[in-house]
Amino acid sequence: PEAAPENAPRNRSIEQIRNGKGQKTADKHVQVKGKDVELVKQDSESEPVINIPIQALAEDRDGDIINEKGQESIIRQLKSGTVPLVPNHGVGQSEAHYGFEDIFGQFIDGENRNGTTIATARLLEGNEFADKLIELLENDMPVGFSVGFRVLEGDERKEEGGIEIEKVDLMEVSAVGIPSNPEAVPQAM
């Protein structure tokens, strides 16, 4: 059979990427402040894949807590393949903007590891935001990750303040300088 041209679209499904079909050994395994952040190339023609902490069962800087049920709702949505990775919640120099051109990754999996949501995203190869994120992680910079969502179910935390969140509509996950949840920085895992 004839080889596919170099610019042919990749035909692997999210399930194939998630299950490591065609996966070679990791090109890079990035160690960040003693905690693992995995950076893997599935094969020589595919985009990089990262595993990162995005949320934890801890009070955020606004006094809110996403509980175990809320964490499960986040993980379900990560696995759907419909959650984009964007920079800074769409906030630029002047105003918030969520444009398709800002998407530099797609979440394809998630799991709970000891109360921390670890998300798997494939990064758009050759994208300036993706390249910068990889560079920062490789150099042990404290990149944060933050979930952008709408609360669907939750209760007010009367004594402590804030909300205990049980279900969310996960719209995006952002690479940020300072996340609302302090546990969503790789070295803080």
Side-chain angles (χ1 to χ4, degrees):
E2 208 173 302
E6 277 187 42
N7 61 354
R10 296 179 181 101
N11 293 343
R12 292 191 343 231
S13 68
I14 290 171
E15 200 61 37
Q16 288 171 320
I17 294 169
R18 188 180 296 136
N19 293 329
K21 185 170 179 155
Q23 182 171 350
K24 294 182 178 182
T25 56
D27 285 342
K28 295 185 179 178
H29 181 79
V30 181
Q31 194 77 11
V32 180
K33 303 273 187 207
K35 300 297 179 188
D36 288 342
V37 173
E38 293 177 299
L39 172 58
V40 178
K41 293 269 290 197
Q42 298 286 339
D43 58 44
S44 63
E45 295 183 14
S46 68
E47 56 282 312
V49 174
I50 58 172
N51 296 307
I52 51 172
I54 62 163
Q55 184 271 327
L57 298 174
E59 185 174 301
D60 68 18
R61 289 180 170 89
D62 301 313
D64 300 330
I65 294 177
I66 298 176
N67 66 20
E68 288 179 8
K69 281 183 170 179
Q71 192 175 57
E72 289 169 12
S73 81
I74 288 173
I75 291 169
R76 273 192 305 279
Q77 292 171 77
L78 291 169
K79 291 180 177 195
S80 74
T82 61
V83 179
L85 176 59
V86 298
N88 301 311
H89 293 299
V91 178
Q93 296 295 333
S94 59
E95 62 183 52
H97 170 75
Y98 283 107
F100 69 90
E101 66 277 2
D102 297 325
I103 296 171
F104 67 94
Q106 172 191 28
F107 286 91
I108 57 173
D109 205 358
E111 67 177 318
N112 178 340
R113 286 190 203 157
N114 302 318
T116 298
T117 303
I118 304 296
T120 301
R122 66 184 188 97
L123 300 178
L124 185 59
E125 194 165 25
N127 177 279
E128 68 178 298
F129 293 123
D131 292 345
K132 185 64 176 178
L133 176 60
I134 290 168
E135 177 187 0
L136 290 168
L137 292 173
E138 287 176 335
N139 286 288
D140 293 334
M141 294 294 111
V143 177
F145 296 92
S146 182
V147 291
F149 62 91
R150 193 169 53 95
V151 176
L152 298 178
E153 293 177 21
D155 293 313
E156 209 174 307
R157 299 174 65 214
K158 293 184 191 303
E159 290 180 28
E160 304 90 350
I163 302 169
E164 183 166 336
I165 301 165
E166 292 192 1
K167 187 175 182 183
V168 302
D169 173 15
L170 183 61
M171 295 180 283
E172 50 88 4
V173 177
S174 286
V176 296
I178 301 171
S180 182
N181 189 313
E183 299 294 316
V185 178
Q187 79 270 14
M189 283 174 44

